[in-house]
Amino acid sequence: MKNFDLPIEVAGIKFKNPFYVASGPTTKSLRQLQEIEKTGWAAASIKLTMDPVPYINRKPRYGLFHDRDALAFTAEKRLDMEEGLRLIESGKKALKDLILMANITYAGDDGVEGWLRMAKRFEDAGADIIELNMCCPNMSYNVELTKGEIQEGKHTGASMGSDPEIASEIAGAIKQAIKIPLFVKLTPEGGQIAKVAHALYNVGVDAVGSTANRLGIPVIDLNKPTQAIYHLQDEISMSCHSSGWLKPLAQRDTYEIRKVNGDEPVITATEGIRSWQDAVEMIMCGANLLGICGETLIQGYDIVKPIISGVKDYMKSHNYTFMDDYRSLIVPEVKSAPELTLHDGHAWLTQPKLAAPCKSACPHHVPVQAYIYYVAVGNTQKAYEILSEFSPLQEFCAYICDAPCEEACIRGSLDRPIAIKEIKKYIFKEAEKNSWSYKVPYSSKLNKKIVLKGLNINHLSTAVALCRAGYDVEIISRYQDLTQEIRQNYIEDHIPQAVVMRVLDRVREEGVVLTEGKTDGEVKAATDLEAFISEIPVATEADKQKLIVFEGNGSNLYEAMFLALEAGFTNLTLITSGPKRFTSTMVSALKGKGVEIFEGVNLGDAEINENGQIELALSLDGFEKIIYTDKFVRAGRTSSIIREIADGQNNAAQIDRKERGDESTVHTMKDDKFPVVSRKKVIARQQPSVLTEALTSSKKIDYASEVASWILEEANRCLRCGCGEGCQLCKTICTDFAPQIVASDELQINVDACVACGMCYLRCPNQIIDMICVD
Ligand SMILES: Cc1cc2nc3c(=O)[nH]c(=O)nc-3n(C[C@H](O)[C@H](O)[C@H](O)COP(=O)(O)O)c2cc1C
Ligand code: SF4
Ligand code: SF4
Ligand code: SF4
């Protein structure tokens, strides 16, 4: 039967487990020592005793700096000879089996003699072990460094422990004079800890270890840089830092002592241990006894229990019976840089076209984050080029798309989706204002003609795709006014006629021939939401009290209602019907402002009654209601125009395949696999936008004058979730410029340039980079 207890014998003393509370503020009184014994520690090293009376002895000031995972102190109280001796004597009387180490420093003028005297008095008082403190950086080192010079003469603590000759002279003399074991606790400050340890083992010291603590500058308050960050302290001062941040340095100290001094000597490691994992790692670096100080101050003595059981469980699961079975395990394995086996390889994208959810959700896979990115960085012209080179029909979407991209936007799970459609509309308005143009991505002519009958969005999309692929394409309309068919059949009525004409002009410029037929039918009268917006600033108080009912489902309606609310309109009702467009965030924001909302209801024709009021009949599954209102703003329903554009593209691909078989170049949207970014934890890069603030506060927006800055802010809220002209993190950080954007949403890694350093692999927020071995 294997025994997983952790006893360990050092210099004839049996420790029931390897854990002791290292010298510090948690080992300065009998009451503390009793707690230490009760909670299961094997030993305690009592608080440093200094003789003569410590020349730096202040009440303690501790700082806990979570940002750097450090516990630091600027001042600390030590014991004098009488206090130290009394603690050992009373401890030996009152405690059952707790092993007591006397942590001592002689700071007088008698040199070795003084050290000897001190050690012997503690031996006589009953100490089980003498631990020479040659580590404390808060004493002589701190004083010397703060003065700006290393002083000759009186050495204590760390300045002594970094000198092999002085340290071994003192330790050697004490070892000869006492019968109990002698430990020495060294500092890493001098940079030669293994060499000093070697000298000490040579003069018979039973165990050597390090404190790992370093003097450092504590947190600087940027607003009051010369004031102390510590409570109840005025000046700034260097501080002695311990805890988590020094774990790798502490492990290095232990590893170094073990590596230079071989398997036999005993090492005490009192550094950066806070969990059973830390303890196991430290044993693997070569430690025999494990001292913990900082964590007992932060969490209390009880932490030893989970640490002991964690180490035992680990040993059981790895079939280790004794700590010796894995002690120093890594020591012979640690290699220097020239000895390392490095495999040739490079970074590899597992999803080179990783799309942001906005793009994946869009049936036509419009590269949303790419154009938002260019708006965000102030290059709206490039955003226009991306959109138009993608499809000349995009301006339609800016007005009437039901925007599944916004519904899918990851930012929505944080606060509010990006107002993608509004950004797009802004891009086209800027293009019009500045007369921007774009380059059409043509293929060479095929000398094949395709005629499509009926001018609809689907056919326009098909025609553009085929024309760009090299076909001659003609669309024949039965209407004389070409805009009429589009406006009547697809867009209902809230897209400006000028936009329709502009898009048709662009389609013509791309080479599609539009042939006018005869007119039959009327263009419906437009409900002008923009006219309502323009009336807001001149509305009277009486206008603002009136009940106004809106009907529609577009984001432009949402924005208009907010503008009205901000301007003081108090009595608004919203009826949504048709495809669901408003997100739940939008709905609850409106409700929060007192808007009555009827979602997804059927709306009968608006009638005017004898009182001149407008009567609206609502119904849904047995629910019926009549609303009487003074003003009815019909914003229009959005049809799924983007679905039609995608279908048109697919039709073009089908025609092309029929015409050219395997030579076909028009791609189907269905064939494109765009993996969706699924990460939920995203980091907001920007402060909330003006609009978000407006939704949550009383800040007013001057829509007309603030639109450009609002759009810029809105674009900067985008989290750039996917690859290409979005995230760009790997491209930005690669020191060898290996990642390259090859299409607006596509990235490639130049494997010849990549040196396989692994930074992109470590940093990619979507974890789509692997490191490939090629040898
Ligand atoms: C507030 C404080 C006081 C300390 N005082 C002493 C001391 O009196 N004697 C000593 O040898 N080490 C002292 N140390 C060092 C600790 O014993 C220990 O070696 C060091 O903090 C690293 O271990 P840790 O990471 O578990 O804190 C002190 C540490 C702290 C944080
Ligand atoms: S945050 Fe930007 S990239 Fe991400 S889903 Fe929304 S619009 Fe797309
Ligand atoms: S770091 Fe960004 S751009 Fe690069 S692979 Fe990852 S998601 Fe794509
Ligand atoms: S950061 Fe650059 S060099 Fe490093 S692995 Fe990535 S692509 Fe290669």
Side-chain angles (χ1 to χ4, degrees), residues 12 23 44 91 96-97 99 106 156 218 225 281 334 346 356 376-377 398 505 591 643 646 660 730 740 748:
S23 176
K96 260 202 336 262
D97 61 0
I99 297 163
Y106 175 70
T156 52
E281 286 176 35
V334 178
H346 54 77
V377 297
D505 281 348
K591 279 187 179 161
R643 166 69 47 208
R660 295 199 282 165
C730 54
Q740 295 160 353
Q748 247 171 35

Side-chain angles (χ1 to χ4, degrees), residues 289-355:
L289 289 172
L290 302 164
I292 301 178
C293 171
E295 209 54 17
T296 59
L297 195 58
I298 297 168
Q299 298 218 60
Y301 303 113
D302 265 340
I303 50 151
V304 75
K305 290 174 184 160
I307 292 180
I308 289 177
S309 60
V311 171
K312 280 186 185 171
D313 289 348
Y314 170 79
M315 287 172 63
K316 212 175 207 168
S317 64
H318 287 75
N319 251 350
Y320 293 132
T321 311
F322 306 107
M323 284 180 294
D324 275 345
D325 296 346
Y326 60 100
R327 190 180 329 282
S328 309
L329 189 128
I330 68 150
V331 176
E333 305 303 325
V334 178
K335 301 280 184 268
S336 63
E339 297 168 308
L340 299 177
T341 312
L342 301 182
H343 297 281
D344 279 342
H346 54 77
W348 182 255
L349 287 161
T350 56
Q351 310 279 8
K353 288 186 182 182
L354 185 90

Side-chain angles (χ1 to χ4, degrees), residues 361-391:
C362 170
H364 200 215
H365 301 319
V366 177
V368 178
Q369 74 166 16
Y371 69 77
I372 291 184
Y373 167 76
Y374 281 107
V375 173
V377 297
N379 190 350
T380 308
Q381 184 168 1
K382 176 77 179 167
Y384 168 75
E385 287 163 9
I386 287 176
L387 273 170
S388 302
E389 282 163 25
F390 189 77
S391 161

Side-chain angles (χ1 to χ4, degrees), residues 92-271:
K92 284 320 289 180
K93 268 194 215 127
L95 299 161
K96 260 202 336 262
D97 61 0
L98 189 74
I99 297 163
L100 291 184
M101 310 183 195
N103 185 273
I104 59 169
T105 284
Y106 175 70
D109 298 328
D110 297 345
V112 177
E113 268 310 304
W115 280 92
L116 268 176
R117 218 170 34 231
M118 223 182 149
K120 282 195 71 61
R121 285 192 70 187
F122 272 94
E123 181 178 33
D124 293 344
D128 298 299
I129 294 163
I130 301 292
E131 183 180 49
L132 304 185
N133 181 321
M134 296 191 174
C135 60
C136 186
N138 196 37
M139 297 195 306
S140 49
Y141 240 53
N142 195 349
V143 175
E144 287 165 6
L145 290 176
T146 306
K147 281 191 175 148
E149 60 194 42
I150 300 293
Q151 290 180 324
E152 292 304 321
K154 185 145 92 182
H155 286 300
T156 52
S159 43
M160 177 180 279
S162 50
D163 185 328
E165 274 173 34
I166 300 177
S168 59
E169 188 193 346
I170 295 166
I174 296 176
K175 184 63 198 166
Q176 299 290 319
I178 60 172
K179 293 191 185 60
I180 56 175
L182 177 65
F183 290 8
V184 181
K185 193 171 174 188
L186 293 176
T187 176
E189 293 273 10
Q192 45 181 353
I193 195 164
K195 201 171 154 193
V196 184
H198 190 69
L200 292 170
Y201 288 129
N202 276 347
V203 294
V205 167
D206 297 289
V208 178
S210 157
T211 176
N213 279 3
R214 299 288 202 284
L215 274 181
I217 301 287
V219 172
I220 298 174
D221 180 340
L222 292 186
N223 296 317
K224 298 175 217 142
T226 58
Q227 277 182 37
I229 198 88
Y230 291 92
H231 58 279
L232 304 184
Q233 178 183 319
D234 287 342
E235 299 79 11
I236 54 174
S237 60
M238 282 218 278
S239 299
C240 183
H241 287 71
S242 67
S243 201
W245 75 277
L246 57 68
K247 177 173 152 183
L249 301 174
Q251 291 182 340
R252 175 194 153 176
D253 293 342
T254 302
Y255 158 78
E256 221 175 298
I257 297 175
R258 178 62 72 214
K259 181 84 181 175
V260 169
N261 293 285
D263 284 341
E264 286 309 312
V266 176
I267 300 176
T268 55
T270 58
E271 332 161 302

